[in-house]
Amino acid sequence: MQVVINNNNPMYVADDRPEAEAHYRARFYFDPNGIAMASGNSHYLFGGLMGSTIEVVRLNFRYSSGSYQLSGIVLNDNSNSINTSWFTLSDAPHVIELEWQASSAAGANNGVLRLWLDGTQIADLTNIDNDTQRIDLTVLGPYSGIDTGTRGTYFIDAFESRRDTYIGP
């Protein structure tokens, strides 16, 4: 999928096949393709939503200090965001995979967000209190937060999702 950003309007593809998923995995290929971004510009690249509005998991893409970067964000039951660190992406094609899982019960606090970049696990957020959250809809592409300093083209390809097993490159 070629994504041409020439304004601040969101553009994405949506998948409404998840239905109250408590465990969700997604993998896609992403190539920044030298997209022009002002330092500090960012936008959301992927979102897993409960209903059509509550973002329970998302991936943030930014340009900072001369580098493209990626970060994961997960929402807990108190509506607080928990963030991974920022991870540098080279200006080349990458395989990005995430695993999101709701906590198994109230008080269990065993929800997770894991990220892989090019087959290597880069983030492992655990002990998340998110037992009331589910995924009903996913969006892929720059769906929110596009800055005026971001213009150009990048590529997304080979999206795949599953409930349980690692997908891999």
Side-chain angles (χ1 to χ4, degrees):
M1 176 170 72
Q2 179 177 340
V3 179
V4 179
I5 299 175
N6 56 16
N7 58 44
N8 293 9
N9 296 328
M11 61 189 101
Y12 55 88
V13 292
D15 182 2
D16 63 1
R17 289 177 293 172
E19 188 173 322
E21 297 294 338
H23 193 185
Y24 185 85
R25 288 179 169 269
R27 190 242 24 231
F28 59 93
Y29 292 81
F30 177 68
D31 183 353
N33 190 46
I35 189 166
M37 297 177 77
S39 189
N41 277 194
S42 69
H43 59 267
Y44 297 121
L45 183 63
F46 173 87
L49 289 75
M50 186 166 59
S52 61
T53 59
I54 301 170
E55 298 170 301
V56 298
V57 63
R58 59 189 169 209
L59 294 177
N60 198 1
F61 173 60
R62 78 174 181 185
Y63 190 75
S64 180
S65 302
S67 296
Y68 297 115
Q69 297 179 331
L70 181 75
S71 174
I73 305 162
V74 63
L75 190 69
N76 69 15
D77 283 345
N78 292 325
S79 296
N80 296 319
S81 294
I82 302 166
N83 304 313
T84 69
S85 298
W86 287 97
F87 301 97
T88 299
L89 298 174
S90 63
D91 186 12
H94 296 280
V95 180
I96 297 171
E97 184 165 342
L98 69 89
E99 175 186 19
W100 172 88
Q101 186 169 349
S103 188
S104 59
N109 299 345
N110 59 353
V112 301
L113 173 60
R114 295 185 177 104
L115 297 178
W116 287 264
L117 180 61
D118 300 326
T120 300
Q121 187 174 349
I122 58 173
D124 188 16
L125 297 180
T126 59
N127 304 318
I128 300 168
D129 177 14
N130 62 347
D131 57 280
T132 64
Q133 319 242 332
R134 296 294 181 266
I135 291 181
D136 300 307
L137 173 73
T138 59
V139 291
L140 180 64
Y143 72 94
S144 178
I146 302 168
D147 295 296
T148 301
T150 299
R151 296 293 181 261
T153 302
Y154 59 65
F155 298 96
I156 300 171
D157 198 7
F159 179 84
E160 185 173 339
S161 65
R162 299 181 184 166
R163 281 192 183 100
D164 298 316
T165 57
Y166 175 72
I167 301 166

